Every structure is written in structure tokens, then in C-alpha cells.
Amino acid sequence: MPGPVQSIERAAAILRVLASGRLGLVEVANSLGLAKATTHGILRTLQGVGFVEQDRATGKYQLGAALLHLGSSYLDANELRSRAINWADSLAARSGEAVHIGRILGTEVLIVHHVFRPDDTLQALEIGALLPAHASALGKVLLAFDAGAAEATLAAPLISFTRRTIVSARAMTRELTQVRERGWASETGEMVVDQASVAAPIRGHGGLVVGAIGVTGPAERIGDDLHGSSRAALVALVRDVARAVSRDLGGSRG
Amino acid sequence: MPGPVQSIERAAAILRVLASGRLGLVEVANSLGLAKATTHGILRTLQGVGFVEQDRATGKYQLGAALLHLGSSYLDANELRSRAINWADSLAARSGEAVHIGRILGTEVLIVHHVFRPDDTLQALEIGALLPAHASALGKVLLAFDAGAAEATLAAPLISFTRRTIVSARAMTRELTQVRERGWASETGEMVVDQASVAAPIRGHGGLVVGAIGVTGPAERIGDDLHGSSRAALVALVRDVARAVSRDLGGSRG
DNA sequence: AACGTGGGACGACATTGTCGAACGTTCTGC
DNA sequence: GCAGAACGTTCGACAATGTCGTCCCACGTT
């Protein structure tokens, strides 16, 4: 490999560290084990290109505005998102719940699109946010069809968010097998108490799973504990929409 | 200056080029005057850190998912935005128009927040988008109070979007002086025909202008040609909200 | 008022990134 | 269906480039 440009990797690591908030020079340097001067040079360069900004008053560094534009440019170029947007609106309208579209990023789920629940106005926009893969329906779908991501996720301890969160690697492996077999995933109160979600895979060219789409809402309307036709209808709805997106996505070459 | 890390600057330039869409290796290399192998090495590194993705089928490169998360992390840390959000909702409700909050990024205006027009549901989310500074009310405000950005913007020819776009540097200088004097800016059909906007500055610690907030809508409701009390009331409303945000922002240290 | 901390600058060393050239593969056009 | 070109990729060598230890300065603290 004649490539891996060290300084760029370090710059990326610095940006990732800064994503957690405002930090001082030495804090950044220490958390990455870099020399102060080296960190300073990289930070200065990142500042020059607008990826990092410095608070004049405190001297602390934070992410820069140029990243916001790049992030939104990513969304513009993202075919999964552009194809799925219309279907997501339709799913939200028909299910009456909030809709999320996500893809894998490392061992987490990156939300690339979010439709608010139709009746509810005060919600936070979650585009760009990261969800734990093992505690969300979207994440279970994505892990079930991405062996690499699944392995990476199971390599580390699974963080517990509620009493229902699946923390055992064996249980998770079983769960993923089931998801793979039936073609959809669910989660009830595993991330947030009394919140549940259902999701299904979106496939791109050649049947490869490139993302997932799902609905999220109160456990009493979506949860596993709810048996009967309404739950089955919801699952069918989500799966239908996911298949529709897949069809759109597979049809044309990007 | 012992810093400017060349490879990082080049990587940033590559990302900026890729923001315009999917590009091949040689296209990127040529547009930056870099050797093919150098470009390849940087792209590979960026791919490794998730800032760039490669289409397996076509070999073309595009921006990566990690940037979306960094972009949204920027928003989370952005104090201008977090303080202004509540006021923006209120402004949208009271004016009945779409509200934008922006800040300067180079010679353009970066939208950091966007509230849809209350009655209209089908609108595109513009957070992260760039507006031309000379053809938007937000931009005029920001340029009026940022001499550096104004100079940089006037150094290049002003692009014409409609017949009403101000393209003369002298006329723009006059306009900016007026904006500075009266404390708000407007634009009528200068960017999009029959669309108009009004904006006012947001000041941070020490009275420095750190952003702008404004409303956008049909020229017949917002435009300069509209004289009378409704226009004056709208301007007063925007200015009041801008001052309120400034007060919030100046109160606490970040 | 002295101290400690944090951000910033300098200069030397060798690590590290860059480049020209060559390879294999995939589309294009005849 | 074949030749040609264009593209992404790899290789190896040179020196340009980034890195690090050290020192400096300003601010807030004890």
C-alpha cells in the first residue's frame, strides 16, 4: 500500500475527536497521542480550509462550517436517499409514524433521512445522527446483511441502554440470523424505554443491502408485545416500501 | 508559518471538488493540477477514513458518509444555531414565511438553519446549502458587517441570476453602506424571480456580527416594491428577532 | 506577585509524501 | 470483433515535507 497519507489520517482523527465538542489543543493532542506542535500544525491547516474553527476567547477548537456544506453535499449525491425520499413520505403518511432511513457507518447506523411523524410537530431533525446498531431495528437489519459490520460490532461489548437491550453476543447473533431469515427486524424498548421500531433492508444493484428503512414510535403502537393484525400490517407496509425503494435503486446505474 | 500541511490542504481541495458530484480520478487530478498517483494516494486515504466513497461499478469517487456526521456535529456545537432555533420558529409563525439563518463561509452564505413556511409542506430542507452573498438579503447583511468577506466577494465578478441581480461592484458597495446604516437588508427578485427576502444581523460577544436571520417568500408579500405598513412591520419583526437572538448569544460565554 | 497552564513559534532531522513511468482492465470507435 | 485509448492502480526513488523537542509568551490562578 503506497498510499495511506499519515497526516490526512491524523487530520481525520482530529476531526472525529472534535465531533464530540469543543476541545483545547492539548486535549486533542493527548487524546490522540500526538505531539503538541504536530497537533497544532494540523489544526491550523484544518482551520485554514474551514474544517475547524477556533474560539477567539477561549482558544478552544471546534468543527468548522465547511463540514456542514460537505455533509449536505454528501446527501445530494446519495442515491439511496434521493430514491427513498418519496417513499419515506408515503410510509410516514400511511403508518402515521416517524420514518428513518439509515446506512452503516463503521459499527453504527447513520441516519441519512428522517420524516417526522405526521401528527407531531415538535421533533428534532436527526439527519446525520448515529444510532447504536445493536439497539435499533435499522441497525439489526444492516448488521444482519453485512457480515463485516456485524463482526466489528460484536467484537466490542454491547452497550446497554435499557433493561431490554440485547447485550449478549450470542443472543445478538441469534437475533441477526432470525432477521436474515424473515427479512425484517424490530426492536422494542431496547434503545429508549417505551419506544419501538420496525425496519426492512433496502437493496441496491445486485441485491446488496445498502441501507434500511423503518418506522419508530411508541411501543404500544409498534412494539413486539403487540400481537395481531395491526402489527402484521405495519411490518408488511415497511417491507413493501423497502422493496419499492430497492426496485427504484436497482433499476438505474449510478 | 510552520504549519500549513500540504497534504491536508490538498485533501480538503479534493473534497471541495467532489462536493460538486461524482468524479473520476483523472478528473479530480486535472482540476487540481495534481499528479494522478498523488491524487490516488490521497483519495485512498480519504476513503479509508470514510470521507470518500468509491462506486465499485464505475470507479468514480464521491463524498463519504462520515462527512454527514461531522456536518451534523458541527450543527450541534454551533451556538448561533442552537440559540436561534426557538426564535426562528417564532419568526416563521409570526411572519408566515420561511426563515433562514446563515453565516458567512468564504464568499458565500452557509445556511445553518431553516424553518419551513408554516402553511407549505413541500419544501426542500436547505441546511448546509450555500447562497450567493451578493444576491440574498442574508448575504448582504453578512457582507455589510464583514469587510474581509465583502472585499473578497467584490474581487470576483458578481454573477447575475436575474435581471435585478446587482452585478456592479460600485452599486453593491453603495448597497452595503446602506445596509450598514439602516441595520437590515432586503432583496427582491435578485436571486430568483418573484422571490424576495429580508434579513437582519445577529451579533455575538462584543457586538461582532456572527450571522444573519431573515425571511424569504413571494415578492408580492415581501418585496421592496411593496410599500406600506405591512412591509415596515415585517422588517421590524425580523430586526426584533435578530436582536433577541443577539441578546441570547451575548449573554453567555461559549 | 510568582506560579502553572495552555496556545503558539522555531529549526533540524529523517520520515513521508510526491511524482514519472509502467501495468492490467475496461470501454469506444472503427 | 479488433485496435486504440482512457482509466484506475501499482511501483520505486528522490527530496520535499511533515514531525518533534524545545523554547516563548500571555493569561488566569493561588
Side-chain angles (χ1 to χ4, degrees):
Chain A
M1 261 194 290
V5 180
Q6 185 192 52
S7 51
I8 295 178
E9 286 184 331
R10 290 178 168 181
I14 287 179
L15 291 178
R16 222 169 296 133
V17 167
L18 283 179
S20 59
R22 231 158 296 186
L23 292 175
L25 171 61
V26 290
E27 292 177 287
V28 175
N30 289 341
S31 71
L32 292 171
L34 293 176
K36 211 166 51 156
T38 304
T39 309
H40 181 241
I42 296 175
L43 276 171
R44 220 135 135 41
T45 308
L46 289 173
Q47 188 180 5
V49 297
F51 287 11
V52 154
E53 290 166 13
Q54 185 174 22
D55 189 328
R56 282 269 286 166
T58 66
K60 286 189 186 301
Y61 294 91
Q62 57 184 303
L63 295 184
L67 290 172
L68 177 58
H69 179 59
L70 287 179
S72 88
S73 299
Y74 164 77
L75 284 180
D76 292 343
N78 188 290
E79 207 180 346
L80 165 62
R81 178 170 182 266
S82 57
R83 301 268 180 193
I85 275 187
N86 292 332
W87 292 107
D89 284 341
S90 142
L91 177 56
R94 289 205 276 165
S95 68
E97 304 290 350
V99 172
H100 294 264
I101 298 170
R103 53 157 289 176
I104 203 80
L105 176 61
T107 63
E108 296 172 291
V109 179
L110 178 73
I111 304 296
V112 298
H113 191 60
H114 175 191
V115 182
F116 293 140
R117 189 183 319 150
D119 61 335
D120 197 349
T121 60
L122 275 166
Q123 299 161 80
L125 190 64
E126 286 171 4
I127 295 177
L130 293 175
L131 257 46
H134 68 285
S136 59
L138 288 175
K140 287 182 187 176
V141 168
L142 294 170
L143 291 184
F145 295 98
D146 186 332
E151 190 184 349
T153 304
L154 291 174
L158 301 176
I159 300 173
S160 175
F161 299 97
T162 73
R163 219 187 324 172
R164 301 185 68 157
T165 306
I166 300 177
V167 292
S168 140
R170 280 190 53 199
M172 182 53 67
T173 305
R174 267 200 310 276
E175 174 87 4
L176 294 183
T177 303
Q178 193 192 1
V179 169
R180 211 164 14 239
E181 282 168 358
R182 67 185 187 186
W184 57 276
S186 67
E187 155 271 324
T188 303
E190 294 167 36
M191 192 166 89
V192 178
V193 175
D194 292 333
Q195 282 283 106
S197 57
V198 172
I202 297 175
R203 298 172 183 276
H205 323 291
L208 207 71
V209 171
V210 296
I213 185 168
V215 296
T216 304
E220 69 253 32
R221 287 206 301 265
I222 295 188
D224 285 332
D225 308 332
L226 173 77
H227 290 291
S229 64
S230 69
R231 171 64 188 270
L234 182 66
V235 169
L237 189 56
V238 170
R239 297 190 70 188
D240 283 349
V241 169
R243 271 192 286 260
V245 175
S246 301
R247 221 179 305 120
D248 271 16
L249 214 48
S252 91
R253 301 281 296 220
Chain B
M1 260 195 292
V5 180
Q6 187 192 49
S7 52
I8 295 178
E9 286 184 331
R10 289 178 168 180
I14 288 179
L15 290 177
R16 222 168 296 134
V17 167
L18 284 178
S20 59
R22 230 158 297 185
L23 292 174
L25 171 62
V26 289
E27 293 177 286
V28 175
N30 288 342
S31 71
L32 293 172
L34 292 176
K36 219 165 41 158
T38 304
T39 308
H40 182 245
I42 296 176
L43 277 170
R44 218 131 141 37
T45 309
L46 288 173
Q47 187 180 7
V49 297
F51 287 11
V52 154
E53 289 167 14
Q54 184 174 23
D55 189 327
R56 282 269 287 164
T58 66
K60 287 189 186 298
Y61 293 92
Q62 58 184 303
L63 296 184
L67 291 172
L68 178 58
H69 179 60
L70 286 179
S72 88
S73 298
Y74 164 77
L75 283 181
D76 292 343
N78 188 292
E79 207 181 344
L80 164 62
R81 176 171 184 265
S82 56
R83 300 268 180 192
I85 275 187
N86 291 333
W87 292 106
D89 284 341
S90 142
L91 177 56
R94 290 206 275 165
S95 68
E97 305 290 349
V99 171
H100 293 265
I101 298 171
R103 53 157 292 176
I104 204 77
L105 177 61
T107 63
E108 295 173 293
V109 178
L110 178 74
I111 304 296
V112 299
H113 191 58
H114 175 191
V115 182
F116 294 141
R117 189 183 319 151
D119 60 335
D120 196 349
T121 58
L122 274 166
Q123 299 161 82
L125 189 64
E126 286 171 3
I127 294 176
L130 293 175
L131 258 43
H134 67 287
S136 59
L138 288 175
K140 287 181 186 177
V141 167
L142 294 169
L143 292 185
F145 295 98
D146 186 333
E151 190 184 349
T153 304
L154 292 173
L158 301 176
I159 299 174
S160 175
F161 298 97
T162 74
R163 221 188 322 172
R164 300 185 70 158
T165 307
I166 300 176
V167 291
S168 141
R170 281 190 53 197
M172 183 53 66
T173 305
R174 267 200 310 275
E175 176 88 3
L176 295 183
T177 303
Q178 194 193 0
V179 169
R180 208 160 20 236
E181 282 167 359
R182 68 187 187 186
W184 57 275
S186 69
E187 155 273 322
T188 305
E190 293 166 36
M191 192 167 89
V192 178
V193 175
D194 291 333
Q195 282 284 106
S197 57
V198 172
I202 298 174
R203 298 169 184 277
H205 323 291
L208 207 71
V209 171
V210 296
I213 186 168
V215 297
T216 303
E220 68 254 31
R221 286 207 302 266
I222 295 187
D224 286 331
D225 310 332
L226 175 76
H227 290 292
S229 63
S230 69
R231 171 66 189 269
L234 182 66
V235 169
L237 189 56
V238 171
R239 298 189 69 188
D240 282 349
V241 169
R243 271 191 287 260
V245 175
S246 301
R247 221 179 304 121
D248 270 17
L249 213 47
S252 91
R253 302 280 297 217

